[in-house]
Amino acid sequence: MRFRLKSGLSLRYITRGAGKTIVLMHPVGLRAEFWLPVIAELEHSYRLIAIDARGHGESDFDGPFTLHDLARDAAELVRAVGLGPAVFAGCSMGGMVAQGVAALAPEVASGIVIANTTYTRDDNGRAMIEQRAVQAEKGMPVILPSTLSRWFNAQAQLNRPDLVLQAREWLLANDAAVHAVAWRAIRDLDFAGALRKSPLPKLCIGGSDDQSAAASAVRKMAEELPHAHYREIAGAGHLAPLEEPREFAGLLAEFIETLPAKGHA
């Protein structure tokens, strides 16, 4: 399905099921289909909406964007289709977007799920992310080895070559210029102050084998935030929902059922 933003950009999204609404947001370089294994676990109990972020999948792109832009896009979609308040859940970049919704449009959210990411970065972190943007500008094949090795450790690459191949195909389908723009949006992540003031319930999920956003860092974030809980998926890397969809879906459902009933349409 497609949704046209007030800006004129068109977002493509997948929707399944009925019930309490969950909005799902994918990592950098991927697309809504990233969430299909989790959707398959939950669509009999919930309404799920998985969005292609700007410039990803089949959604439009018209120039540089920020995490704030992506968060406002997701909030505008929920307001327009009348399905909120909703739980906004994201992995990696998508988890940053969920934070942005909590900071910028809390009225459309009943809770947020932040997976495989933290909520701010220091100067060294920003410099590292800028280098990823620079590498992306050289072409998607250039970034494949480093990206896939961060996302999947040696054991995961051996045991789940299907997931590695799927991630590779999704990455190669990206426009390198858009990928660089997305990395620069990620570079500027800083929702720490806003989230420390946010009364929304929060679930922070880490993967024990995550080489990009260490489980210890995700746990520390949860400890620093009000109304936050931490859960860890043993053996999962940076793409926890893709590697362990059943366990991830179970944590998501458990979180949703603890929310006040009035928090959903």
Side-chain angles (χ1 to χ4, degrees), residues 12 14 16 22-28 30-43 48-53 88-95 98 113-116 166 170 205 238-246 248-249 252:
R12 177 255 190 175
I14 295 170
R16 300 279 192 280
I22 309 169
V23 180
L24 301 165
M25 293 162 295
H26 59 75
V28 65
L30 304 187
R31 56 188 296 155
E33 280 80 1
F34 170 84
W35 289 103
L36 286 179
V38 170
I39 289 172
E41 296 288 337
L42 296 173
E43 63 182 320
L48 299 114
I49 300 172
I51 303 171
D52 280 347
F88 288 79
C91 176
S92 191
M93 182 184 78
V113 179
I114 308 167
N116 305 98
Q166 181 62 84
W170 283 332
I205 301 177
H238 191 57
L239 305 185
L242 189 65
E243 291 186 50
E244 300 292 344
R246 180 166 294 179
F248 191 96
L252 188 50

Side-chain angles (χ1 to χ4, degrees), residues 54-67:
R54 290 191 190 194
H56 292 71
E58 298 173 29
S59 287
D60 291 347
F61 172 71
D62 68 346
F65 55 78
T66 66
L67 293 174

Side-chain angles (χ1 to χ4, degrees), residues 16-22 39 41-48 249 252-257 264:
R16 300 279 192 280
K20 297 175 181 178
T21 302
I22 309 169
I39 289 172
E41 296 288 337
L42 296 173
E43 63 182 320
H44 299 297
S45 302
Y46 303 99
R47 176 188 288 115
L48 299 114
L252 188 50
E254 178 184 86
F255 173 67
I256 290 170
E257 295 311 315
H264 291 274

Side-chain angles (χ1 to χ4, degrees), residues 108-158:
V108 304
S110 55
I112 62 171
V113 179
I114 308 167
N116 305 98
T117 187
T118 56
Y119 59 4
T120 191
R121 62 183 84 259
D122 58 19
D123 289 343
N124 288 336
R126 284 189 287 273
M128 176 186 67
I129 298 300
E130 174 60 25
Q131 282 304 305
R132 292 181 189 171
V134 170
Q135 287 297 105
E137 290 173 332
K138 299 176 182 178
M140 296 308 293
V142 173
I143 60 90
L144 278 178
S146 60
T147 301
L148 293 175
S149 65
R150 282 197 314 274
W151 287 357
F152 303 98
N153 63 23
Q155 184 172 355
Q157 291 188 46
L158 180 64

Side-chain angles (χ1 to χ4, degrees), residues 221-233:
M221 174 179 65
E223 292 169 350
E224 294 173 350
L225 293 178
H227 313 292
H229 300 279
Y230 175 74
R231 295 291 185 271
E232 187 167 306
I233 300 180

Side-chain angles (χ1 to χ4, degrees), residues 189-250:
L189 169 69
D190 188 10
F191 288 118
L195 287 192
R196 286 172 182 154
K197 299 175 183 177
S198 170
L200 284 173
K202 306 165 191 71
L203 173 62
C204 304
I205 301 177
S208 66
D209 295 348
D210 192 337
Q211 302 174 96
S212 190
S216 59
V218 181
R219 182 188 297 110
K220 184 174 184 292
M221 174 179 65
E223 292 169 350
E224 294 173 350
L225 293 178
H227 313 292
H229 300 279
Y230 175 74
R231 295 291 185 271
E232 187 167 306
I233 300 180
H238 191 57
L239 305 185
L242 189 65
E243 291 186 50
E244 300 292 344
R246 180 166 294 179
E247 186 169 355
F248 191 96

